[in-house]
């Protein structure tokens, strides 16, 4: 199957075979069923509003903060995992310092880089959450 190549032409060169007056009439639109003797509904935007009508907007409802058992469990479990990871990392770096001081120093630098990266990500997420709360307050 061959594709047709694009053609370049001038607008003045285009001729129409039929004029707009001679164009085929539009096909008839389908008719909607009308309900018998029904008045059209009034437009709510055009309805008259009395000056006594005052709209009061209630303040947004505050969500109740509750601590669930799942959040307590997840906090405890993640705290224990972080403690185990940090103690094993400390033991690993200490062991490397005892065996080969250069490798211990390298491991310490990499551990510090990891901690700085983690703190940076946490700080960025904290700022994003603050911005979301400010937008929500608006």
């Amino acid at each position: 199957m061959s594709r047709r190549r694009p053609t370049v032409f001038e607008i003045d060169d285009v001729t129409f075979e039929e004029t707009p007056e001679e164009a085929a009439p539009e096909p008839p639109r389908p008719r909607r069923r009308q309900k018998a003797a029904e008045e059209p509904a009034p437009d709510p935007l055009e309805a008259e509003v009395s000056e006594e009508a005052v709209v009061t907007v209630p303040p947004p409802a505050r969500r109740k903060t509750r601590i669930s058992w799942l959040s307590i469990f997840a906090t405890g479990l993640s705290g224990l995992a972080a403690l185990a990871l940090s103690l094993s990392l400390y033991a690993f770096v200490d062991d490397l310092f005892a065996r080969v001081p250069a490798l211990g120093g390298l491991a310490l630098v990499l551990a510090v880089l990891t901690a700085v990266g983690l703190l940076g990500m946490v700080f960025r997420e904290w700022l994003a959450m603050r911005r979301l709360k400010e937008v929500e307050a608006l």
Side-chain angles (χ1 to χ4, degrees):
M1 181 171 143
S2 64
R3 290 187 166 190
R4 190 180 70 128
R5 298 185 58 109
T7 308
V8 177
F9 55 90
E10 293 291 325
I11 297 288
D12 297 332
D13 296 343
V14 177
T15 58
F16 294 101
E17 294 178 10
E18 59 184 12
T19 61
E21 295 86 29
E22 300 170 357
E26 292 183 19
R29 294 183 180 171
R31 295 182 184 174
R32 293 184 179 175
R33 284 193 248 167
Q34 295 180 352
K35 296 182 180 176
E38 183 178 313
E39 293 182 14
D43 188 9
L45 296 177
E46 294 179 5
E48 292 183 26
V49 179
S50 66
E51 301 214 7
E52 298 173 358
V54 178
V55 177
T56 57
V57 179
R62 297 203 53 135
R63 287 180 38 193
K64 294 180 180 178
T65 353
R66 293 186 348 183
I67 298 175
S68 67
W69 291 109
L70 178 63
S71 65
I72 293 172
F73 172 75
T75 302
L77 186 64
S78 60
L80 284 174
L83 187 61
L85 182 65
S86 63
L87 284 176
S88 65
L89 183 63
Y90 177 77
F92 175 68
V93 171
D94 191 36
D95 187 40
L96 277 178
F97 264 123
R99 292 178 186 211
V100 182
L103 285 179
L106 178 65
L108 182 63
V109 168
L110 291 176
V112 168
L113 279 176
T114 304
V116 168
L118 178 66
L119 288 176
M121 287 188 302
V122 168
F123 182 69
R124 184 177 57 193
E125 289 299 317
W126 177 72
L127 286 178
M129 294 300 283
R130 272 189 54 207
R131 273 189 243 119
L132 280 176
K133 285 184 180 179
E134 288 175 6
V135 168
E136 187 178 320
L138 293 176

